[in-house]
Each structure stands twice: as C-alpha cells, then as structure tokens.
Amino acid sequence: MLSSAAPAGPSPASQGAGSNYTDLHSEPPDHAIGRSRGGWSTKVHHLVDGNGRPLVVLVGPGQAGDAPMSLQLMRHLRIRRNGRGRARTRPDRVRGDKAYSSRSIRQHLRARGIVAVIPEPADHRGHRKRRGSRGGRPPAFDSTDYRGRNVVERRFSLLKQRRGLATRYDKLSIVYRAAIVLHAVTTWTKTLSDTA
C-alpha cells in the first residue's frame, strides 16, 4: 500500500523565491557537473588545431570519459573556407593519448580517411598478442608525429590560469562554456590580429 505525507517544516508558500533556472531546454539537469574522484567537477573537452588554437569546445560532467566525447567533438567540427565551398569537417590527422585508443574511434577515423596518431595501451597490446593471429595487426603509430600532441595540454594550462575557469563558479553550464569560448575568441584574436 502506498501513502504520502506532507513534508515536515514550513509550507511551500513560505520557503522563499523559486529558482532562476527556468529554461529546461537549453540547460541539462546536471549543469555539466558530476562526481569524480576529487568531488564535484566539470570536464572541458577541446579539439584544437596544430598550434593549440581551439576549434571545438564542449563541457560535461566530471565523471564522463574522454573517449565517448571524441566523436561528439568531431561531429561539431566546422571550419569555413575562404570564398565558396562547404565547411571543412575532416582534419588530416588526429593526435590523442591512450584514452582515445578504442576500436570505435579508430574505425570512425579510418572510415573518414583521417590518420590516427594514438598510442596503443599496454593492456590492448597484451589482449591482441594473447589472441595470436586472430588478434590482428598492431595499429600504425608515428611516435615522431605524436610529439605534437602537447599543444592541447598547453592549451589547458593557459585555460587554467583563469581562476573562474579553473575553479568553476558558474551554476549554468552554458555560462561556463561561454567563458571558455570567450577565452578561445581572445586566443584567435591575438593570432589573427594585424598589430603587434
């Protein structure tokens, strides 16, 4: 048998003002805040060019993995061409750390003709060797080209120099992401500026 009881404490009319958060369509219920090892946090996902300039910025809850977000980042990539023509949606190569070494990511990149510069983790290597000839060939990996991956780490270091971004003060994820996009705009403005 189910029953319900009125909540103890003050009546709903005397609890104070309601939430300012009213637009449920543009903001997820978790506000891109999730519980990770260190407590409540937000994770910033970047897709940058070869010089570390941001191309796509997404935010998600702290416990979300990096690999599932990679396909989302690639889906949002649009680089307009000078003049006419469709926007470019396919980079020449993608550099990522071992967290991005999954079969689905490699298949997605291969199907689109994108070179994957992603090292294979030791456990993947062990599983492949254990299967023998059925394990397949190891994925191609260019260790010299992989050295260029540090540009995204340097981008995160620059991002964390802004205290409001390093320690998220904003309740709404759209406001927090807007601050990160503003940081990206200033980065591109410095690059595209014709003054010293």
Side-chain angles (χ1 to χ4, degrees):
M1 178 178 224
L2 297 175
S3 65
S4 62
S11 66
S14 64
Q15 287 184 354
S19 171
N20 290 335
Y21 175 59
T22 57
D23 188 4
L24 299 175
H25 295 292
S26 64
E27 183 70 19
D30 64 356
H31 298 286
I33 296 176
R35 197 152 190 71
S36 61
R37 290 182 195 168
W40 295 102
S41 65
T42 297
K43 193 176 277 191
V44 178
H45 304 275
H46 264 154
L47 187 64
V48 300
D49 69 356
N51 294 313
R53 295 174 297 226
L55 300 172
V56 180
V57 176
L58 298 175
V59 295
Q63 81 276 9
D66 293 334
M69 290 300 287
S70 65
L71 299 179
Q72 295 273 353
L73 289 168
M74 294 294 289
R75 196 173 300 127
H76 284 85
L77 179 64
R78 299 269 183 278
I79 301 172
R80 290 183 49 196
R81 298 179 189 271
N82 292 334
R84 298 175 56 167
R86 289 187 299 181
R88 186 172 178 186
T89 60
R90 195 175 62 195
D92 296 330
R93 62 188 62 241
V94 170
R95 297 181 191 103
D97 60 11
K98 293 179 182 179
Y100 297 96
S101 180
S102 71
R103 182 176 290 139
S104 62
I105 291 174
R106 289 185 188 275
Q107 286 175 347
H108 174 77
L109 295 175
R110 193 177 306 119
R112 297 189 66 201
I114 303 169
V115 176
V117 184
I118 303 170
E120 185 182 28
D123 62 334
H124 290 200
R125 210 173 307 127
H127 295 317
R128 188 173 37 76
K129 288 180 180 178
R130 194 169 28 256
R131 294 181 68 194
S133 61
R134 292 178 295 126
R137 293 182 303 183
F141 177 67
D142 185 355
S143 59
T144 305
D145 189 18
Y146 183 70
R147 293 178 191 163
R149 199 195 72 79
N150 66 28
V151 295
V152 71
E153 301 300 336
R154 287 187 276 145
R155 169 58 38 203
F156 281 119
S157 295
L158 288 173
L159 195 66
K160 289 177 182 177
Q161 289 181 7
R162 297 190 177 211
R163 187 172 52 172
L165 298 177
T167 59
R168 178 179 165 176
Y169 296 132
D170 302 301
K171 175 187 176 184
L172 300 178
S173 65
I174 52 174
V175 176
Y176 181 66
R177 183 179 178 275
I180 297 170
V181 170
L182 180 62
H183 185 263
V185 168
T186 58
T187 301
W188 277 99
T189 303
K190 290 177 187 173
T191 302
L192 301 175
S193 176
D194 59 352
T195 59

